[in-house]
Amino acid sequence: MKYYIKNINDFSEEKLTKYLSLLDEEKLSQYNATTHKARKKVTLISNGLAKEKIAEEYSIDVKDIVFSVHTNGKPFCKSHTNIHFSISHSGTFVAVAISDKEIGIDIELLKEPSEKIINRVCCENEINVINSSENKKEKFTEIWTEKEAYLKALGTGIDRELKTVDTTKMDFVNEYSDEFILSVFSL
């Protein structure tokens, strides 16, 4: 398993043009239909970065990589079904994880949680961890990214009561910065 974090503002026009050439017809159609400039850039970079890193890791020609989306919305590598990936973005950050097993990644800018949100999405164990933490904002964001990464790995997305997912009983790869927290979960 490997993961990558990039700031979308660090990509040159040359790199964006290269990534544009990697979009398949379906993604290109979505890209062209999107009017929101930042969303368009994130879509382009996340797709291009995922293909680029898969090509490097598995010694595949990047042009031979074809992505598709399951009916549940989870993207997959249609051309190489033994390769799994996950994409996330928040603010100006894009994160991509690749693996030979089902994988989920989530990156979130640090956010201050309200008690209402904590009680709505966290189980009792997680609430206790947050309340005993010196930095509730960081601990809540960590738990949130872990929940999302876990559900992405399962391929379900947020399809259930989030309180039923207890991240305190699972193992994650986490990365912390002053701006964001990233979590990765692999089955």
Side-chain angles (χ1 to χ4, degrees):
M1 180 236 348
K2 290 194 176 179
Y3 68 90
Y4 308 87
I5 305 165
K6 300 288 184 185
N7 188 316
I8 64 171
N9 296 323
D10 293 342
F11 287 82
S12 67
E13 285 302 317
E14 180 181 339
K15 181 66 100 170
L16 295 176
T17 301
K18 177 186 176 191
Y19 283 177
L20 189 59
S21 73
L22 299 178
L23 293 177
D24 58 49
E25 282 185 39
E26 183 180 334
K27 272 288 188 203
L28 184 59
S29 177
Q30 289 174 356
Y31 175 82
N32 288 330
T34 302
T35 57
H36 192 269
K37 195 173 183 178
R39 186 171 298 137
K40 203 169 187 162
K41 190 172 184 180
V42 165
T43 298
L44 182 62
I45 290 171
S46 59
N47 185 81
L49 183 64
K51 285 187 176 184
E52 182 178 75
K53 294 306 179 183
I54 287 170
E56 289 173 11
E57 182 66 21
Y58 293 95
S59 301
I60 302 168
D61 186 331
V62 71
K63 296 210 181 256
D64 292 336
I65 299 170
V66 178
F67 291 163
S68 192
V69 180
H70 288 293
T71 54
N72 62 9
K74 183 177 181 174
F76 70 99
C77 193
K78 185 177 181 178
S79 57
H80 300 82
T81 56
N82 60 321
I83 300 171
H84 303 275
F85 73 99
S86 184
I87 295 171
S88 182
H89 57 86
S90 186
T92 61
F93 296 98
V94 171
V96 173
I98 58 175
S99 178
D100 58 352
K101 299 175 183 165
E102 292 290 350
I103 194 162
I105 192 168
D106 191 48
I107 188 168
E108 295 290 338
L109 298 178
L110 290 168
K111 52 184 149 195
E112 194 69 51
S114 68
E115 289 300 317
K116 183 179 177 182
I117 293 290
I118 292 171
N119 290 323
R120 195 177 98 222
V121 303
C122 296
C123 69
E124 187 176 335
N125 288 340
E126 293 166 335
I127 292 170
N128 291 336
V129 168
I130 291 168
N131 288 335
S132 65
S133 173
E134 290 182 23
N135 187 334
K136 285 186 177 187
K137 177 167 68 171
E138 183 176 277
K139 188 50 71 177
F140 172 78
T141 305
E142 175 188 304
I143 289 170
W144 179 265
T145 60
E146 289 174 349
K147 285 179 185 281
E148 285 231 24
Y150 170 73
L151 294 170
K152 283 181 172 184
L154 292 180
T156 62
I158 301 176
D159 71 337
R160 65 183 79 182
E161 181 68 33
L162 289 175
K163 290 179 91 155
T164 64
V165 176
D166 185 351
T167 61
T168 66
K169 298 179 180 181
M170 299 178 210
D171 292 319
F172 295 86
V173 173
N174 300 97
E175 186 163 323
Y176 306 86
S177 87
D178 293 339
E179 296 178 74
F180 64 81
I181 293 181
L182 172 127
S183 295
V184 184
F185 184 85
S186 183
L187 296 178

